[in-house]
Amino acid sequence: MKGRVEKRFQARKLRAFVIRHPLGHLCGYVEIPKGHPAHGVAVGVMGRISPDITYAGDGIIPGRWLVGFYTEYPQPVYRVVERVSALAEIIDEIGGA
């Protein structure tokens, strides 16, 4: 894994993470389970669903398809958790997770 996990939690029955990038900024991710319509979908397509999405892939935690974003300026962990939860809600609506 790249970075340090600051928080793991459930958001709309989906696994979610706040990870501190090695350069210091926070990133928020939602894990998309196999079988979900968004699993394996490229970042360009996911970015049309929510402009917040800047990452989709399995390079952060090998073997897990994550969709997420990075923060451009310092934010407390709880703010990133709020944004991840909102993203999970959108993904939940897509697939009924």
Side-chain angles (χ1 to χ4, degrees):
M1 176 190 324
K2 298 173 185 174
R4 182 179 76 234
V5 176
E6 294 286 329
K7 185 163 182 74
R8 296 170 203 244
F9 60 103
Q10 292 287 118
R12 290 288 191 127
K13 300 179 187 174
L14 298 168
R15 290 182 189 165
F17 307 88
V18 175
I19 297 175
R20 186 166 304 278
H21 189 276
L23 295 177
H25 61 276
L26 293 174
C27 302
Y29 300 100
V30 176
E31 182 178 343
I32 310 296
K34 290 181 181 173
H36 188 284
H39 186 273
V41 176
V43 69
V45 175
M46 292 302 294
R48 290 185 214 136
I49 295 166
S50 170
D52 225 11
I53 297 172
T54 58
Y55 178 85
D58 62 359
I60 305 294
I61 302 176
R64 296 185 183 185
W65 191 263
L66 302 180
V67 173
F69 58 88
Y70 66 93
T71 58
E72 295 180 5
Y73 52 89
Q75 293 185 28
V77 171
Y78 79 90
R79 288 272 189 225
V80 179
V81 167
E82 290 171 353
R83 289 177 63 193
V84 170
S85 296
L87 179 57
E89 186 173 340
I90 293 168
I91 291 169
D92 184 47
E93 289 174 9
I94 292 169

